[in-house]
Amino acid sequence: MPRRIRYDAWSATDGGLVRRGGMTTWTSPWRLAGFAFTDLVASWHARTTGGSWIEVAVQARGSRRWHTLAHWQGGRRATRRTSVEDDPEVDTDIWSPRGGADAYRLRVGLHPSTSGRLPTLERIGAVVSAGPVRTTTSSPLGRTARILDVPRLSQMTHADIGGGGWCSPTSVAMVLAHAGTLPPAADGRPADVPAAAREVLDPAYGAGNWSFNTAWAASRSGNAFVTRLRDLRDAERLVAAGVPVVASIAYAPGALRGAPTHGTPGHLVVIRGFTGCGDVVANDPGAPSDRSVRRTYDRGRFERAWLRGYGGLVYVIHRDDQVLPRAPWTGAAR
């Protein structure tokens, strides 16, 4: 049976906004997945000003328990931004319902600033998935060979201040710079990577929280979410639409030839295009310098590192004027 994936999202006008006592919450309608899913990753776009913050939680149909996924507050000096560590079903940014689930709903608690100002929830969604990942062969070549002009940034040029753990915010910064929604750094570089790392920092985990990275990206580009793709043909469709994607990969030592990192249990790179023979053109922030970031990876080897590693997980970041392909993993298909 092929891997099953579904992404759904709601605007703040959907679901119910309830004020009860001193608490304001927004709750989504129940969402039927269409299959028994084993994991969920949420992503959102919220504006927190003056010290306001949000709390994101999820509930499975048939259960009374809400599982808190995150506390989120935007800004480099956020004090109410962290993942939750005391729930055995929640692993930083992934909810794995015990025994699986066939439906869920999301809840957002809107916590006011000291002056009483509430945060604004623009959009929230989640990707659910289940089933095996096909890893034996590489997917057939798509019809479009296109390489996007994505600025190159290395996390390793900041290794002396913690950049060795900044593959996620560095990748996001590259995509935002490509979209033209990130001001350049004072030194003329396309983006301020240390500033990006501060915007997404999860004190309980580091700079690699998937949900926190897209929450920050959404505040810059207007649209950003975590989803999963079935194989590289889905990534080709996004690149053909002018949208580079940030992919989460993992591979054994020597398994991804040409990579600056010999092996890794978890790393993020930007898929910026494909060659005429279908190989992946990537910006790999693990390279030692900005100039050496661009890499070309064998299609089959990269796809295995991506699908086996984290089940085809990606960040999709785009502007309002960029139309995404209609597919279950974009939420456009109903």
Side-chain angles (χ1 to χ4, degrees):
M1 182 180 293
R3 185 165 178 78
R4 290 157 292 178
I5 299 167
R6 182 185 177 102
Y7 173 80
D8 286 291
W10 298 267
S11 70
T13 58
D14 298 326
L17 187 66
V18 176
R19 293 179 176 87
R20 187 172 296 149
M23 184 67 177
T24 301
T25 60
W26 177 94
T27 306
S28 77
W30 285 103
R31 177 59 70 202
L32 292 170
F35 55 87
F37 64 88
T38 55
D39 57 73
L40 174 149
V41 182
S43 44
W44 56 85
H45 178 193
R47 301 184 187 279
T48 59
T49 56
S52 63
W53 58 285
I54 68 170
E55 181 178 6
V56 180
V58 63
Q59 183 184 44
R61 185 170 67 168
S63 171
R64 294 184 177 180
R65 181 176 179 182
W66 285 93
H67 298 269
T68 300
L69 302 178
H71 296 169
W72 167 260
Q73 183 182 63
R76 300 178 189 178
R77 297 179 177 85
T79 59
R80 300 304 299 264
R81 182 171 67 227
T82 186
S83 55
V84 177
E85 299 181 290
D86 60 355
D87 188 335
E89 293 187 22
V90 178
D91 182 6
T92 305
D93 37 26
I94 305 172
W95 174 52
S96 300
R98 185 171 294 134
D102 64 354
Y104 71 93
R105 60 178 176 173
L106 298 171
R107 184 181 70 188
V108 181
L110 305 175
H111 296 265
S113 65
T114 54
S115 63
R117 186 172 181 177
L118 287 174
T120 301
L121 179 66
E122 302 286 348
R123 181 181 173 91
I124 187 168
V127 59
V128 295
S129 59
V133 176
R134 181 190 54 76
T135 60
T136 55
T137 60
S138 61
S139 61
L141 173 62
R143 296 182 177 180
T144 302
R146 183 179 183 184
I147 300 173
L148 302 175
D149 185 18
V150 179
R152 293 173 290 181
L153 295 170
S154 166
Q155 69 190 86
M156 301 311 296
T157 60
H158 308 283
D160 59 329
I161 55 171
W166 292 352
C167 59
S168 187
T170 306
S171 295
V172 171
M174 286 190 271
V175 175
L176 290 174
H178 170 262
T181 59
L182 191 67
D187 61 3
R189 290 162 61 90
D192 188 339
V193 172
R198 289 192 294 271
E199 292 278 3
V200 305
L201 183 64
D202 175 359
Y205 183 71
N209 185 309
W210 295 331
S211 301
F212 287 9
N213 275 263
T214 52
W216 171 60
S219 73
R220 301 299 314 184
S221 68
N223 303 277
F225 58 95
V226 180
T227 190
R228 296 185 191 272
L229 308 184
R230 297 165 297 185
D231 55 40
L232 284 173
R233 288 172 294 182
D234 290 340
E236 285 171 330
R237 294 174 64 190
L238 287 162
V239 169
V243 179
V245 294
V246 178
S248 187
I249 62 175
Y251 52 91
L256 189 60
R257 293 176 182 169
T261 304
H262 187 54
T264 175
H267 185 52
L268 288 109
V269 303
V270 179
I271 300 176
R272 59 181 289 184
F274 296 86
T275 67
C277 63
D279 288 339
V280 178
V281 180
N283 276 8
D284 193 324
S289 65
D290 291 353
R291 190 167 185 172
S292 61
V293 158
R294 175 170 165 161
R295 304 284 164 132
T296 300
Y297 294 131
D298 173 82
R299 184 182 184 89
R301 288 178 177 270
F302 184 90
E303 194 163 51
R304 286 189 289 275
W306 174 48
L307 295 179
R308 286 179 182 173
Y310 290 98
L313 187 132
V314 296
Y315 307 161
V316 177
I317 302 166
H318 66 101
R319 303 185 308 267
D320 289 338
D321 61 344
Q322 293 177 305
V323 180
L324 298 183
R326 293 180 62 83
W329 37 264
T330 63
R334 289 286 186 268

